[in-house]
Amino acid sequence: MCGIIGYLGNKNTATVLTEGLKRLEYRGYDSAGIAVFHDDCIQIRRTEGKLAILEQMISKESFNGHTGIGHTRWATHGKPSDRNAHPHKAGGVAVVHNGIIENYLHLKKTLQNKGHVFNSETDTEVISHLINDLIEEGCSFEDAVRRALQQLSGSYALGIMFEGEKKKLIGARNESPLVVGLGDGELFIASDTPAVLNYTREFIFLDDGQIVVLSDGKAAVKDLTGKTLRIEPRYVDWSPLMAEKGGYKHFMLKEIFEQPEAMINTIRGRVSREKGAISFEDFSLRKKQIEALRRVAIVACGTSFHAAMVGRYMIERLAGIPVDIDIASEFRYRNPLIDKGTLMVVISQSGETADTRAALREGKRKGALSLAICNVVESSIARESDHVIYTHAGPEIGVASTKAFITQLVALYLLALYLAKGKGSIESGTVRNLLAELIRIPGLAKDLLRNASEYQTLARKYASARNFLYLGRGINYPIALEGALKLKEISYIHAEGYPAGEMKHGPIALIDREMPVVVLVANDDVREKVMGNIEEVRARDGIVIALASGNDPEIRQKADELIPIPDTAPLLSPILFTIPLQLLAYYVADFKGNDVDQPRNLAKSVTVE
Ligand code: M6R
């Protein structure tokens, strides 16, 4: 994990780097640093802690060089500290790195035997020493980088500069994302496009095994043998404003409020309500292909896995195709039964999650047809899959995923309808009705968001609870898990999600008058059963916070708190139940004064296994 940036141009280099790093802090924020030329020498400033500390540190300095690299860290090798912060410099070579060098101990030993002295516990430092060693042996900067990369195993996105070539910057990528920004007389490298959207929307997306040499106003992409590659730049239509807070206290709050529009963007251009038709830009199957599908396997991590769980209900219910779901980190090690008759769906907001990416490769290796549901355009997973459905949620900066999740649910619903229609498992009239219901959802979500202040009051009332239990059943069981995960991630309160029917098999022992139990009661075929769970909680003096479809007087009477949820089709109810749970978690965390957008120990995109 970590965010990297590099700049070659005429602006104030330190400012471009720190501004860009601010937009990459979601990738890690335990330490930060920059390397910038000043009077022909590379100056390094780095520190443990957030970027603000680095900014303070350099606020009175000025650097006159126009080449620089920067880094915001999420520790993997070596705890957060000043000396483990990047950039790492050996001789005249400075390096920033995102990823893990698996053979660093072996390389370090070899270099130490040659007299190199290491100053950090990181795997990254070995890269700067290795390149420097090769330069000292007579290689040019570029050759040294290439030869060093050939010796590395593991993942990396790198920004590299060398004191001997002031106007050159090299970037490299293997299994960690790196984009090249092409500005007006200036060039950038970055882990992600929002870092430099203020300056350009034209990008080259590097592939694994590629390096980019920035010099003389040009970005030359090459492979590791030095062969020049022609890669067409792409235009990214996210605006810089989309990556700003826009008046909200936190990105997470902004992103929660953006959900109605984000869902509209997921649906836009893909459905015709009148014809009952669904289509995707980069995914279509013939009737025969759909009929030949023996199963769908959905794989993802974290919140995206919760979307996978909901997706299983949707696809099985509508299309009647069996669906397996897997947590990506488990999938690849259990020798999954995947074959040509499998449609493998991988879900990832970032499109860079290492476990999901590895699972995708495993599925493809076994012959599955792959489809990615991704938010980040041109991300690794999107590019490696046979097909992709983009969620079009826009940049999600808050570490806790919100709008990406909601739009994943919309995309899965569309996919389920598409498969069902193609297979002929539901009638055209039903498809039209289900699409009509989907089109109502953004408006209903807006209605829920109007009640935000009520959720805020509720959050304050229960912010001192030490544990929460979330209960849901059927398609809303994954939403109980998601509600609990949101609370854990940002408020640091212990929370568990459970299938409501399982409560009596164990968790009921936890219930006492201190324990808020959030119960999700949808208008579906298990409503009465969940009502029974509310009784069980009440009988043990637990506090019932009910989220219930419709305005049911019975629940109003039984629950300590009631959040009414607009009525909709059961398959779409998870979308609406999610929104108050996100806000509840947000307001609890904010009330506790936590760093909502950058919760402790977490990073937005987990690009290491
Ligand atoms: O980018 P991805 O969707 O692949 O990320 C997967 C998880 O790391 C992510 O959903 C994580 O659980 C979030 N912090 C949840 O809020």
Side-chain angles (χ1 to χ4, degrees):
M1 209 95 47
C2 306
I4 73 167
I5 183 165
Y7 178 65
L8 188 67
N10 293 319
K11 294 198 170 74
N12 181 320
T13 307
T15 308
V16 173
L17 296 177
T18 50
E19 285 302 314
L21 288 177
K22 267 184 208 155
R23 298 190 180 86
L24 292 175
E25 259 195 309
Y26 71 87
R27 303 178 64 84
Y29 36 80
D30 62 41
S31 41
I34 56 168
V36 200
F37 267 103
H38 183 72
D39 289 346
D40 299 340
C41 290
I42 294 177
Q43 298 292 323
I44 302 227
R45 301 290 180 268
R46 56 186 189 170
T47 172
E48 182 186 344
K50 296 209 166 162
L51 185 64
I53 302 175
L54 177 74
E55 284 187 300
Q56 179 63 31
M57 188 176 184
I58 59 171
S59 60
K60 296 205 171 61
E61 292 195 85
S62 67
F63 305 95
N64 55 19
H66 292 290
T67 310
I69 51 180
H71 189 268
T72 178
R73 180 167 189 249
W74 186 80
T76 57
H77 291 61
K79 63 178 193 229
S81 67
D82 291 354
R83 70 192 183 100
N84 286 337
H86 300 212
H88 290 283
K89 186 162 176 269
V93 177
V95 171
V96 288
H97 169 218
N98 166 34
I100 291 179
I101 304 305
E102 285 160 9
N103 58 341
Y104 84 103
L105 283 175
H106 165 73
L107 293 169
K108 190 170 175 175
K109 217 168 179 183
T110 315
L111 287 159
Q112 278 169 331
N113 289 341
K114 288 175 93 177
H116 287 259
V117 178
F118 284 76
N119 297 310
S120 76
E121 301 153 291
T122 65
D123 51 338
T124 304
E125 198 185 347
V126 87
I127 307 172
S128 49
H129 281 276
L130 197 54
I131 299 171
N132 184 48
D133 193 65
L134 289 159
I135 290 174
E136 280 176 358
E137 279 179 8
C139 290
S140 69
F141 176 29
E142 212 181 303
D143 280 347
V145 169
R146 244 190 325 266
R147 286 183 52 189
L149 296 183
Q150 284 162 3
Q151 296 179 52
L152 302 182
S153 58
S155 58
Y156 54 78
L158 294 168
I160 311 159
M161 50 199 279
F162 170 50
E163 232 148 31
E165 296 201 50
K166 269 191 351 183
K167 296 210 165 138
K168 186 176 275 185
L169 193 64
I170 300 184
R173 164 186 170 138
N174 193 49
E175 294 185 6
S176 294
L178 193 68
V179 302
V180 183
L182 310 174
D184 188 7
E186 54 190 356
L187 296 162
F188 309 82
I189 51 170
S191 297
D192 199 356
T193 52
V196 297
L197 273 177
N198 270 340
Y199 311 105
T200 183
R201 306 237 193 128
E202 230 190 330
F203 290 92
I204 292 174
F205 294 87
L206 291 187
D207 260 325
D208 289 347
Q210 293 180 345
I211 72 167
V212 62
V213 182
L214 308 184
S215 66
D216 298 329
K218 283 191 219 100
V221 180
K222 306 185 180 185
D223 66 15
L224 290 191
T225 67
K227 191 174 129 206
T228 302
L229 308 167
R230 256 193 74 83
I231 301 188
E232 280 305 309
R234 302 255 191 140
Y235 183 81
V236 169
D237 65 358
W238 286 358
S239 73
L241 206 70
M242 284 165 89
E244 301 283 348
K245 278 191 209 155
Y248 287 90
K249 187 170 176 190
H250 294 103
F251 279 113
M252 180 181 177
L253 189 60
K254 172 179 174 248
E255 287 157 9
I256 291 172
F257 274 85
E258 281 173 349
Q259 294 182 116
E261 199 181 336
M263 287 189 272
I264 291 171
N265 288 337
T266 315
I267 301 167
R268 179 172 287 134
R270 290 174 170 162
V271 305
S272 157
R273 193 172 135 188
E274 296 70 34
K275 291 188 194 143
I278 303 114
S279 61
F280 303 101
E281 308 77 50
D282 180 42
F283 175 64
S284 69
L285 294 178
R286 291 185 305 277
K287 190 171 187 334
K288 263 197 167 157
Q289 285 176 295
I290 298 178
E291 279 166 354
L293 286 179
R294 278 201 291 276
R295 73 166 97 183
V296 174
I298 318 183
V299 182
C301 297
T303 285
S304 296
F305 178 71
H306 297 153
M309 294 174 77
V310 175
R312 168 163 70 181
Y313 278 91
M314 290 171 167
I315 295 170
E316 289 193 342
R317 187 63 63 92
L318 294 174
I321 305 172
V323 180
D324 291 334
I325 49 170
D326 266 283
I327 290 179
S329 53
E330 294 293 322
F331 178 83
R332 61 195 284 209
Y333 295 112
R334 74 167 177 86
N335 197 13
L337 297 174
I338 299 285
D339 58 20
K340 285 202 173 73
T342 306
L343 172 65
M344 179 167 180
V345 181
V346 286
I347 308 177
S348 175
Q349 185 286 131
S350 60
E352 302 294 346
T353 302
D355 289 321
T356 311
R357 207 171 156 205
L360 167 65
R361 286 180 178 171
E362 178 65 3
K364 283 183 76 172
R365 195 180 65 77
K366 293 193 157 189
L369 177 72
S370 58
L371 167 66
I373 296 182
C374 276
N375 189 37
V376 177
V377 173
E378 289 292 320
S379 54
S380 305
I381 290 174
R383 284 190 291 158
E384 282 173 27
S385 296
D386 299 314
H387 302 281
V388 58
I389 298 176
Y390 285 118
T391 49
H392 298 311
E396 189 180 68
I397 309 293
V399 165
S401 184
T402 52
K403 63 177 180 172
F405 176 66
I406 289 280
T407 54
Q408 285 165 354
L409 298 186
V410 172
L412 285 160
Y413 184 79
L414 290 175
L415 175 64
L417 278 174
Y418 176 84
L419 295 174
K421 188 164 188 280
K423 199 176 160 212
S425 56
I426 49 175
E427 288 170 2
S428 308
T430 314
V431 179
R432 278 198 293 275
N433 291 341
L434 290 173
L435 282 178
E437 198 52 32
L438 173 67
I439 288 161
R440 280 182 67 225
I441 292 290
L444 298 178
K446 256 191 197 155
D447 293 345
L448 276 169
L449 288 166
R450 282 193 196 101
N451 304 331
S453 62
E454 287 172 32
Y455 314 142
Q456 190 170 16
T457 311
L458 198 67
R460 286 189 176 186
K461 195 164 160 189
Y462 295 104
S464 59
R466 300 186 50 168
N467 301 287
F468 271 72
L469 192 60
Y470 287 69
L471 300 177
R473 202 153 176 180
I475 197 167
N476 281 300
Y477 159 49
I479 305 307
L481 293 177
E482 176 60 10
L485 178 64
K486 285 287 93 87
L487 191 73
K488 276 186 273 213
E489 280 188 297
I490 56 173
S491 75
Y492 317 140
I493 295 174
H494 170 246
E496 280 193 60
Y498 248 89
E502 272 288 293
M503 185 176 69
K504 56 187 173 299
H505 297 287
I508 198 162
L510 295 170
I511 293 171
D512 60 15
R513 62 183 74 236
E514 307 288 312
M515 170 75 105
V517 184
V518 180
V519 192
L520 313 183
V521 199
N523 252 345
D524 56 18
D525 44 7
V526 287
R527 186 178 177 95
E528 289 313 313
K529 311 265 179 214
V530 180
M531 291 295 289
N533 295 122
I534 291 183
E535 294 291 2
E536 289 161 9
V537 175
R538 265 164 53 96
R540 282 145 191 95
D541 288 334
I543 304 156
V544 175
I545 302 175
L547 276 69
S549 304
N551 205 347
D552 187 331
E554 195 190 341
I555 302 186
R556 190 166 285 283
Q557 193 211 337
K558 287 184 178 160
D560 296 272
E561 315 286 350
L562 173 66
I563 298 178
I565 306 291
D567 230 339
T568 182
L571 289 182
L572 289 166
S573 64
I575 296 177
L576 299 180
F577 277 85
T578 300
I579 293 169
L581 297 185
Q582 295 168 336
L583 283 167
L584 186 65
Y586 170 79
Y587 286 124
V588 169
D590 186 42
F591 184 63
K592 291 181 79 181
N594 292 356
D595 190 342
V596 172
D597 284 331
Q598 295 173 357
R600 68 184 183 203
N601 305 337
L602 290 175
K604 179 78 183 152
S605 171
V606 186
T607 53
V608 292
E609 194 184 339

